[in-house]
Amino acid sequence: MSERITITIDGKQINTFKGANLLRVAKDNGIPIPSLCYHKKLSPTGACRLCLVKIAGTNGLTASCTVQVKEGIDVIAFDDELEILRKNLLDYLVSEYSEENDNSYHDEFWELLKRYQIDDKLNRKYSSVKHLFKTQLDDSSPVLTYDSSKCIKCFRCIKACEEVQGKSVLSFTDRGISSYIIGGFGVWNESECDGCGECIQLCPTGALVEKPHRNEIDINKIDAKIKTTCPYCGVGCQIELWVQNGKIVRSIGVENVMPNDGRLCVKGRFGYDFIQSKDRLINPLIKKNGKFEEASWDEALDLIAFKFNEVIEKYGNESLAGYSSAKCTNEDNYIFQKFIRTVFGNNNIDYCTRLCHASTVTAMLRSIGDGAGSNSIEDFETTDCLLVTGNNIIETHPITATYVKRGVAKGMQVIIIDPKWTPLVKYAKLWLQPRLGTDVALLNGMIRYIIHNELIDKNFISNKIDRGWDAFEELKSLTDKYTADYTEEITGVPQEKIIEAARIYATSPTSMIATGMGMSQQVTGTNNVFSLINMMLICGQIGKERAGIDPPRGQNNVQGATDVGASPINYPGYIPIGNDENRRKVAGIWGVPFESLSAKPGLTTVEIAKAAYDGKIKALYIMGENPMVTDPNLNHVKNAFEKLDFVVVQDIFQTETTAYADVILPAASFAEKNGTFVNSDRRVLRVRKVVDSPGLARQDWQIIQEMAQRMGKPMKAFRDESEIFDEIAAVTPMMAGVRYNRIENEGIQWPCPGENHPGTSTLFLEKFNTPNGKAKLNPVDYIAQNEKVNIDYPFLLNSGRILYQYHSATMSRKNNSLNAFANESYVLMNPADAYKNNFQNGIKVKLVSERGELQTILQISDEVLEGELFMPWHFSESPVNNLTRDELDPLSKIAPLKLSACRVERVMF
Amino acid sequence: MKIMTEEILLKYKPQKNNLLQILHEIQTEQPHQYLPETELRKVSKYLNISMSSVYGVVSYYTMFSIKPRGKFIVRLCQSPVCDMLGSQLIANKLKELLQIDFNETTSDGLFTLEFSECLGLCANKPSMMINKQAYTGLNVDVIELIINDLRNESKNSDN
């Protein structure tokens, strides 16, 4: 901010900054000027008039919320005249207002009435006029209720929606005293509202209230309000969970801390009911004669220990594998990988990151040395240009998207590359819609334009790129054939758009890239990202603040799980297992013989299933994963799992995968755990225990430790999660300086190499994390897809996620509030294709690929190109992965979940 | 032939400051002189603004209606000046003649009764407008003539 100044309020000298908001300065300095329409996250409105003050030299009274302070101003905030006026204003307001209150919300208005002693009707001057006008009640939304009789028309909800969330869904209707707030044409659930509830959080009265648990919640009887980290996507929003009678009854966004500063999406605010679902696993279950029977922990763990040891004895160490979990904490994942490496004695540990950003991480590690996002979430608001590619950011990372939308309002230019329309298109300067699987060609075309028009950063190429101009020349000659015509021919994108996109990206003072599953989940996934990085490097759009590449992570702890070593090739901190020195160091900290740690790279997710099919893997230990929905070519996975001798699944629910288990172990959910997650911008965030686990459910890491003990290979015993984290910090150089006591209030972004290090908001400012500190260009050619359409399979199917569900939906679908928004599978088809096939909207269809088939509902939509289809993959009754391939990207072993040739048939009733 | 909403939209750039003009044109082109929700959705999509902000504007201005209206929209001035000079009598007479209340439409679809803010015709009050025609210096007898004229005119044009 600008220069420091001194102002006076009621005779008190206050140091502040020029231009600061007077009301905020007063409140921050303990001068309790009353207000209702003002909120520090919103632009001032000046509607309620309660914050009126006198400013020396200014005639009359001024609403302090509208004043930007200047040096030396002298303010009277409290005197008899002002207080009488405020009391009168409140008295007027309350005469139009309904005083019914069910104690389910915090009422700022009522607090002021008490403060001015007019909560008692006998003390008021004005009688109620409420009965003179019509009031409106909109109860149509699944998550909130609007009652105009409680509404003081302060604008906070409208501004919360527009300024904080960037959605602008709400508005006023009618005039004067009978005006009220509406969504849509007056019916909330028919509006664009996506249920994030920001308006509820900022409503000062009870006009907008949450619907879930409203009948039971009493804000005077809340037993605990505990801050923790949201368990859904990789944004890592800080939430405060309210507990009443041992039950979670509300989730609100924590203000003033990153990454979300109080903002939440519909999942963060209304997606917590799964925790106390009646479907939670509460007992260990053992399959006997094809049926699961309840068992004690002793019985279950002894059986597992016996069986795992038996497999080791019979088939050797290499015949076991583990899937760890992006939904579990760092502490759980750390113990899990240690278990696989020291108890199983191999490196066969992977998880669904393999099917997520493995290719992105592979390309980034090879080019720039780190696979994590180079920027901070707040940079999504302040960069000049954002290139969003294959990333439906509004639906998959709703809070990151709020920063983007706020940036657009201030002039940021957004360029979208996506074969499918996404809601961000409404905010974008440009939308390039390439055919599925043609990304490398498109990017090479942009690179060629940038090179030929001298939009490159020569300094950067000379100083920051490995082999400098030689490497550049290689890229130049490889991309030379991607002329505008040729690129348009392959991708279908009009060349003017390709040129404009290249120009904006290259010439903006700072440009950032958000890259998602559309780029990564392809057989050429790594090449796609190489291409993207090549363009970024020659433009010098990294290595400075607000520039770089960011892969928003899909799950809450995808970043952290890999950071702490849930990887077949890396120890915690991305330390390669193959290196003797690394193994010696890790063996020392873990207190195991160096020789006992295998140097052989382990199998990846899809490879584990294939090895099971081939009889090479005999036993599988799955923690918090649901491969029977998430893995490609599910029919093959089923066959593979059926061949396994012994499967243990540890989860919070029965899933499609537990059906294949021999033993199911009940685990604690995130709300029953202490620990940490790492979010997409590398923030190590605290997870805190809010409620007790149901039944006999236990902490994941404790189950693993107990299992090791019973297998006769005890691991170091930890007393609690903070002790585990201390060991993580010891093994993981980039988290060396992080301790629980440092992240109590707000997370720290790694790398944080020392206890006095503040963490790092932007990577690569000085150098890249490669051996010589320089970035590498990796020129790649466009390779046409093997999977092509033909007469039998004339469509290309794309898949993805939607806002209201999450991953394989084991958690999200246990929430009625979320299901009320979206609970049904569908496939999108272009209107021209529907017309050609004589298909009508809403008919039941069968999709068939070479691998399998499924049934779903047809939706006709111009969101997809002709010849292409799109399906959300959350819904296990229409499992998209029946259709997908398990062919792998050779470099990263990711599967091409975004492109499957298939046909569509009408299902006759 | 009426002009389709899509054609009207294409005449304007997709900027929200064109909203009022667009709404007026659409309403004029609708057979029942109102703004159906289906058309408002198109406007919201075209201008990239929320449905509620379109609706907020529509509900704010009395010139816009979200209910189907009659062929003749009678807008009686309710300014204090007209009121002092007997607009209430006119209002009662209109209700009696048409057998409807204000903000209602006759069952034959001919007349809709509305109040209007000041029409600016205070020199010769009380005043009203029927569609684009202003009528001033009203009294109950004149009203009856006007309404009967319009009824006849409509009958003749139908024949």
Side-chain angles (χ1 to χ4, degrees):
Chain A
M1 250 215 210
S2 52
E3 63 183 280
R4 290 203 78 98
I5 56 166
T6 304
I7 65 168
T8 310
I9 304 178
D10 288 343
K12 186 177 168 186
Q13 301 257 312
I14 292 170
N15 278 313
T16 181
F17 293 99
K18 189 180 172 186
N21 183 291
L22 174 57
L23 178 60
R24 173 119 195 234
V25 172
K27 284 184 189 250
D28 288 349
N29 284 278
I31 300 164
I33 301 175
S35 68
L36 282 170
C37 68
Y38 176 79
H39 192 283
K40 61 178 185 276
K41 283 162 78 176
L42 307 173
S43 64
T45 303
C48 76
R49 316 309 290 171
L50 292 172
C51 70
L52 291 172
V53 294
K54 296 172 180 168
I55 300 174
T58 308
N59 287 332
L61 307 173
T62 311
S64 58
C65 70
T66 62
V67 176
Q68 296 184 326
V69 294
K70 287 184 290 208
E71 172 65 45
I73 59 165
D74 189 0
V75 179
I76 297 172
F78 286 92
D79 66 13
D80 286 349
E81 188 190 4
L82 286 167
E83 284 293 271
I84 288 167
L85 185 66
R86 286 170 184 153
K87 186 171 177 172
N88 258 320
L89 284 166
L90 279 167
D91 207 335
Y92 267 130
L93 262 180
V94 77
S95 71
E96 300 174 8
Y97 182 82
S98 160
E99 291 168 63
E100 281 167 34
N101 186 329
D102 62 5
N103 278 332
S104 70
Y105 53 87
H106 174 208
D107 193 337
E108 292 176 36
F109 186 36
W110 191 252
E111 280 177 3
L112 283 179
L113 294 178
K114 271 200 227 165
R115 176 167 150 191
Y116 285 88
Q117 291 154 357
I118 47 174
D119 50 329
D120 184 345
K121 285 181 185 159
L122 296 175
N123 294 337
R124 291 179 199 161
K125 279 192 197 165
Y126 313 109
S127 53
S128 175
V129 293
K130 192 171 79 77
H131 58 282
L132 296 179
F133 52 95
K134 212 169 75 184
T135 56
Q136 308 284 338
L137 189 82
D138 190 337
D139 202 24
S140 61
S141 162
V143 293
L144 60 82
T145 303
Y146 170 70
D147 178 358
S148 76
S149 72
K150 308 278 298 175
C151 177
I152 54 161
K153 290 132 197 171
C154 66
F155 284 86
R156 268 161 66 165
C157 54
I158 294 178
K159 288 190 169 185
C161 193
E162 179 176 346
E163 296 176 7
V164 180
Q165 290 269 344
K167 293 172 183 162
S168 308
V169 172
L170 305 181
S171 186
F172 265 123
T173 189
D174 258 324
R175 285 178 302 279
I177 201 165
S178 55
S179 61
Y180 60 99
I181 310 292
I182 48 161
F185 299 131
V187 183
W188 216 285
N189 76 334
E190 291 172 12
S191 74
E192 303 91 336
C193 173
D194 65 9
C196 74
E198 187 77 39
C199 54
I200 305 169
Q201 184 155 334
L202 298 199
C203 177
T205 68
L208 276 159
V209 290
E210 288 185 24
K211 210 181 246 182
H213 303 293
R214 190 173 175 196
N215 295 336
E216 45 193 309
I217 192 168
D218 181 341
I219 55 162
N220 301 318
K221 291 183 182 159
I222 298 298
D223 304 317
K225 297 179 179 179
I226 294 170
K227 287 178 193 156
T228 186
T229 301
C230 177
Y232 289 101
C233 78
V235 176
C237 292
Q238 298 299 289
I239 54 176
E240 186 178 88
L241 295 178
W242 292 13
V243 184
Q244 182 179 319
N245 296 329
K247 186 176 167 185
I248 298 169
V249 289
R250 182 159 292 172
S251 162
I252 62 169
V254 181
E255 305 274 357
N256 298 325
V257 294
M258 282 293 161
N260 54 317
D261 190 17
R263 299 170 217 168
L264 292 179
C265 76
V266 65
K267 293 193 289 291
R269 194 178 301 276
F270 298 110
Y272 55 81
D273 278 342
F274 76 90
I275 299 161
Q276 37 231 4
S277 158
K278 62 177 177 18
D279 296 335
R280 281 288 300 274
L281 286 169
I282 52 171
N283 280 300
L285 299 171
I286 296 176
K287 197 184 263 172
K288 291 177 183 162
N289 303 319
K291 276 192 180 159
F292 285 110
E293 291 179 14
E294 286 182 7
S296 70
W297 274 105
D298 277 336
E299 194 185 348
L301 287 169
D302 283 341
L303 175 67
I304 294 168
F306 174 78
K307 284 284 186 181
F308 278 163
N309 276 334
E310 189 182 59
V311 170
I312 292 174
E313 224 163 87
K314 253 168 103 175
Y315 304 103
N317 274 359
E318 299 286 328
S319 59
L320 301 93
Y323 285 150
S324 77
S325 174
K327 296 187 184 75
C328 292
T329 60
N330 291 322
E331 291 73 7
D332 295 329
N333 276 289
Y334 177 79
I335 297 293
F336 190 89
Q337 60 91 34
K338 200 167 153 184
F339 174 87
I340 299 292
R341 301 192 204 283
T342 62
V343 180
F344 281 0
N346 62 39
N347 292 306
N348 293 336
I349 168 173
D350 207 6
Y351 68 110
C352 66
T353 189
R354 188 63 49 196
L355 303 169
C356 171
H357 264 309
S359 50
T360 315
V361 171
T362 304
M364 287 175 71
L365 282 173
R366 290 191 190 195
S367 307
I368 53 182
D370 262 315
S374 46
N375 303 88
S376 267
I377 193 165
E378 55 268 40
D379 299 339
F380 281 87
E381 182 170 331
T382 54
T383 186
D384 300 294
C385 163
L386 180 70
L387 173 64
V388 181
T389 163
N391 184 5
N392 180 3
I393 199 165
I394 285 186
E395 296 201 69
T396 58
H397 301 84
I399 299 307
T400 309
T402 63
Y403 288 91
V404 180
K405 291 182 274 188
R406 288 157 60 101
V408 170
K410 292 183 226 156
M412 180 209 291
Q413 304 202 77
V414 172
I415 303 165
I416 296 174
I417 300 177
D418 208 307
K420 179 188 170 287
W421 182 90
T422 74
L424 192 66
V425 169
K426 288 201 264 184
Y427 299 81
K429 168 96 179 163
L430 263 184
W431 171 33
L432 281 55
Q433 191 178 19
R435 295 186 186 110
L436 279 170
T438 60
D439 303 275
V440 171
L442 180 65
L443 291 162
N444 280 352
M446 288 171 72
I447 289 172
R448 183 185 185 274
Y449 178 83
I450 287 165
I451 293 175
H452 279 253
N453 290 276
E454 296 261 328
L455 305 178
I456 52 174
D457 184 336
K458 291 178 179 162
N459 247 331
F460 190 93
I461 295 170
S462 304
N463 302 317
K464 298 277 185 97
I465 292 184
D466 188 38
R467 299 191 300 113
W469 291 96
D470 289 346
F472 173 79
E473 282 302 324
E474 287 164 20
L475 179 69
K476 185 178 173 191
S477 72
L478 184 136
T479 54
D480 210 44
K481 69 178 185 226
Y482 293 90
T483 60
D485 285 335
Y486 182 58
T487 308
E488 177 174 337
E489 189 190 317
I490 298 175
T491 62
V493 180
Q495 42 188 283
E496 314 79 63
K497 284 195 175 181
I498 300 173
I499 289 168
E500 199 186 349
R503 182 169 281 281
I504 294 172
Y505 176 80
T507 59
S508 292
T510 64
S511 291
M512 262 164 64
I513 296 169
T515 179
M517 303 293 93
M519 292 288 277
S520 66
Q521 291 174 335
Q522 297 190 31
V523 256
T524 55
T526 309
N527 281 0
N528 289 345
V529 182
F530 273 145
S531 223
L532 199 54
I533 294 173
N534 292 341
M535 179 171 81
M536 171 180 78
L537 292 175
I538 60 167
C539 297
Q541 291 291 18
I542 190 167
K544 55 188 178 187
E545 280 179 358
R546 305 182 295 124
I549 175 166
D550 297 83
R553 311 308 301 257
Q555 299 193 64
N556 53 335
N557 200 31
V558 152
Q559 184 65 52
T562 319
D563 290 347
V564 301
S567 157
I569 52 168
N570 288 324
Y571 288 132
Y574 302 90
I575 298 170
I577 54 163
N579 180 307
D580 281 0
E581 197 186 324
N582 288 344
R583 267 201 332 288
R584 208 160 260 131
K585 184 188 157 200
V586 170
I589 296 170
W590 288 355
V592 296
F594 158 67
E595 301 75 22
S596 72
L597 291 180
S598 168
K600 186 179 159 194
L603 298 173
T604 61
T605 295
V606 179
E607 287 172 335
I608 289 171
K610 285 185 174 169
Y613 187 82
D614 295 338
K616 289 174 189 153
I617 292 289
K618 292 290 186 187
L620 191 55
Y621 179 15
I622 300 173
M623 171 176 81
E625 284 262 293
N626 192 9
M628 273 304 162
V629 175
T630 62
D631 281 16
N633 197 358
L634 283 177
N635 288 323
H636 183 267
V637 181
K638 274 177 205 159
N639 294 336
F641 276 32
E642 276 161 4
K643 290 190 173 188
L644 287 163
D645 282 4
F646 192 65
V647 180
V648 176
V649 181
Q650 182 170 312
D651 210 309
I652 62 173
F653 291 113
Q654 296 261 21
T655 66
E656 291 72 15
T657 302
T658 53
Y660 293 81
D662 295 285
V663 182
I664 303 174
L665 299 176
S669 79
F670 87 105
E672 297 138 20
K673 282 179 178 181
N674 285 305
T676 53
F677 293 154
V678 184
N679 77 344
S680 296
D681 57 349
R682 299 167 277 107
R683 251 175 256 266
V684 186
L685 301 160
R686 270 305 307 272
V687 177
R688 292 184 183 84
K689 184 176 169 178
V690 180
V691 286
D692 290 328
S693 293
L696 300 180
R698 284 189 188 175
Q699 303 289 325
D700 285 291
W701 66 269
Q702 286 173 338
I703 302 172
I704 305 164
Q705 280 210 328
E706 186 65 29
M707 205 181 286
Q709 179 83 26
R710 288 176 197 235
M711 286 177 72
K713 295 175 189 165
M715 307 200 297
K716 179 181 162 187
F718 292 100
R719 270 177 311 187
D720 62 18
E721 296 78 9
S722 91
E723 265 191 21
I724 303 176
F725 193 88
D726 290 346
E727 186 174 298
I728 294 175
V731 192
T732 312
M734 71 216 183
M735 292 186 197
V738 183
R739 294 289 180 279
Y740 273 22
N741 62 16
R742 288 191 69 193
I743 53 172
E744 281 308 323
N745 181 44
E746 193 166 21
I748 293 178
Q749 289 171 282
W750 67 250
C752 174
E755 293 211 34
N756 296 317
H757 191 284
T760 308
S761 58
T762 309
L763 296 180
F764 315 124
L765 289 180
E766 282 160 27
K767 63 184 186 63
F768 291 97
N769 198 15
T770 50
N772 67 1
K774 292 189 175 187
K776 279 199 183 69
L777 289 173
N778 292 281
V780 284
D781 230 332
Y782 165 68
I783 306 167
Q785 301 282 324
N786 285 336
E787 179 91 344
K788 290 186 175 64
V789 293
N790 56 39
I791 282 187
D792 292 331
Y793 305 106
F795 289 102
L796 287 181
L797 171 70
N798 182 4
S799 65
R801 289 171 287 161
I802 59 172
L803 173 66
Y804 303 102
Q805 299 291 349
Y806 168 73
H807 209 238
S808 69
T810 48
M811 286 155 45
S812 60
R813 246 177 145 183
K814 306 276 190 320
N815 300 282
N816 293 337
S817 318
L818 300 180
N819 291 345
F821 283 99
N823 195 22
E824 192 177 67
S825 162
Y826 57 84
V827 61
L828 299 183
M829 178 183 274
N830 187 280
D833 289 323
Y835 180 77
K836 271 187 260 172
N837 287 280
N838 193 22
F839 287 160
Q840 293 77 40
N841 203 44
I843 61 167
K844 199 169 191 185
V845 289
K846 182 158 92 170
L847 268 63
V848 186
S849 82
E850 270 192 358
R851 276 79 50 189
E853 59 181 60
L854 58 81
Q855 292 195 355
T856 184
I857 303 296
L858 185 84
Q859 276 186 19
I860 299 174
S861 163
D862 55 9
E863 291 182 12
V864 291
L865 285 169
E866 260 187 87
E868 296 184 2
L869 307 166
F870 174 86
M871 258 187 90
W873 63 270
H874 306 291
F875 304 103
S876 59
E877 64 276 22
S878 302
V880 176
N881 283 321
N882 277 0
L883 308 177
T884 53
R885 289 170 289 156
D886 49 8
E887 191 183 336
L888 300 181
D889 170 27
L891 295 172
S892 67
K893 310 290 170 77
I894 199 167
L897 305 171
K898 293 291 184 196
L899 194 153
S900 320
C902 61
R903 67 169 172 268
V904 184
E905 297 167 2
R906 182 193 292 264
V907 176
M908 299 293 174
F909 291 96
Chain B
M1 181 65 190
K2 298 283 179 184
I3 304 171
M4 302 281 287
T5 298
E6 285 77 5
E7 289 174 66
I8 295 169
L9 291 175
L10 285 177
K11 293 184 357 199
Y12 294 91
K13 284 191 176 160
Q15 292 164 346
K16 62 180 168 188
N17 54 0
N18 289 325
L19 177 61
L20 280 177
Q21 284 301 325
I22 292 173
L23 291 175
H24 275 300
E25 277 207 46
I26 294 174
Q27 179 163 284
T28 309
E29 292 301 326
Q30 288 293 319
H32 297 289
Q33 302 196 63
Y34 80 117
L35 292 162
E37 221 176 271
T38 48
E39 308 311 297
L40 294 180
R41 277 178 203 277
K42 293 175 190 166
V43 177
S44 148
K45 192 173 178 191
Y46 183 72
L47 296 181
N48 199 8
I49 54 177
S50 69
M51 295 189 272
S52 67
S53 50
V54 175
Y55 191 84
V57 168
V58 170
S59 66
Y60 183 84
Y61 292 102
T62 51
M63 296 293 284
F64 295 130
S65 173
I66 49 166
K67 288 195 298 194
R69 294 190 288 185
K71 185 173 175 187
F72 303 109
I73 298 164
V74 182
R75 300 164 59 81
L76 180 66
C77 182
Q78 59 172 359
S79 73
V81 186
C82 283
D83 192 55
M84 283 189 292
L85 283 146
S87 65
Q88 198 50 51
L89 291 174
I90 309 287
N92 291 340
K93 184 69 184 175
L94 283 168
K95 288 202 277 189
E96 179 200 317
L97 281 170
L98 300 173
Q99 290 295 302
I100 53 170
D101 210 335
F102 276 76
N103 295 320
E104 289 180 357
T105 300
T106 53
S107 55
D108 58 6
L110 270 187
F111 294 95
T112 298
L113 270 186
E114 289 180 1
F115 280 118
S116 165
E117 298 303 323
C118 181
L119 290 170
L121 301 167
C122 315
N124 195 6
K125 54 267 165 190
S127 317
M128 69 176 185
M129 285 184 82
I130 299 182
N131 293 352
K132 288 180 178 170
Q133 177 73 44
Y135 297 84
T136 57
L138 299 171
N139 60 51
V140 288
D141 300 330
V142 174
I143 286 289
E144 191 155 357
L145 289 174
I146 296 171
I147 295 296
N148 285 337
D149 272 2
L150 290 172
R151 274 195 179 129
N152 290 331
E153 180 193 311
S154 174
K155 249 184 225 161
N156 295 335
S157 68
D158 286 349
N159 292 338

